[in-house]
């Protein structure tokens, strides 16, 4: 699968972005093609602009967005995606929080991790911590991006995302 990583942060750069570094290595280790890894400011306009640019130019199958899913004033990632969703995948956020509870307890209620389709592009919004990115990738996204996962997976369904 063709993937891109969008890190939402006002404080990180490529050298200090441990979550993005983890996701980059994990994507490549799983045999997927990494198209890009970019950091943008905590801005709904910047997040949407980057996603639309990638959609038009790179055509990724999957975009992993790291950061901006909390509840502070600067956390705007879910709001940035709201007008773009064509189909929401509420099960992603539900499963992420359920799995996260084992690690961080009731603090998981502060996560607004979410996912869905933007046209035929899968987009998953993850918390910015390396532990959260690892949990989402290893326990949810890696298996779903693997065509061998049964009974179903995103890899096999992708050709059908644009069906009328």
């Amino acid at each position: 699968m063709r993937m891109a990583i969008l890190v939402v942060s006002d404080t990180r750069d490529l050298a200090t972005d441990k979550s993005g570094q983890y996701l980059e290595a994990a994507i490549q280790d799983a045999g997927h093609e990494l198209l890009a890894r970019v950091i943008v400011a905590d801005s709904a306009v910047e997040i949407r602009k980057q996603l639309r640019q990638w959609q038009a130019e790179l055509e990724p199958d999957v975009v992993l967005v790291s950061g901006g899913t909390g509840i502070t004033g600067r956390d705007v990632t879910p709001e940035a995606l709201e007008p773009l969703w064509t189909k929401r995948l509420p099960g992603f956020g539900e499963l992420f929080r359920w799995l996260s509870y084992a690690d961080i307890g009731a603090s998981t209620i502060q996560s607004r991790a979410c996912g869905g389709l933007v046209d035929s592009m899968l987009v998953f919004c993850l918390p910015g911590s390396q532990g959260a990115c690892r949990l989402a990738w290893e326990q949810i996204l890696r298996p779903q991006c693997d065509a061998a996962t049964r009974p179903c997976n995103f890899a096999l369904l992708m050709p059908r995302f644009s069906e009328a």
Side-chain angles (χ1 to χ4, degrees), residues 1-5 33-36 50-64 118 120-123 158:
M1 296 178 85
R2 297 164 42 83
M3 300 188 179
I5 301 166
E33 179 183 359
L34 180 65
L35 302 173
Q50 186 64 64
L51 287 173
R52 287 300 192 196
Q53 180 182 345
W54 281 348
Q55 191 175 28
E57 296 173 6
L58 300 179
E59 299 178 357
D61 300 316
V62 179
V63 175
L64 303 181
V118 174
S120 61
M121 181 173 67
L122 285 161
V123 179
M158 285 187 60

Side-chain angles (χ1 to χ4, degrees), residues 117-135:
L117 284 169
V118 174
D119 299 319
S120 61
M121 181 173 67
L122 285 161
V123 179
F124 297 98
C125 304
L126 318 174
S129 77
Q130 187 175 355
C133 288
R134 181 181 309 277
L135 182 146

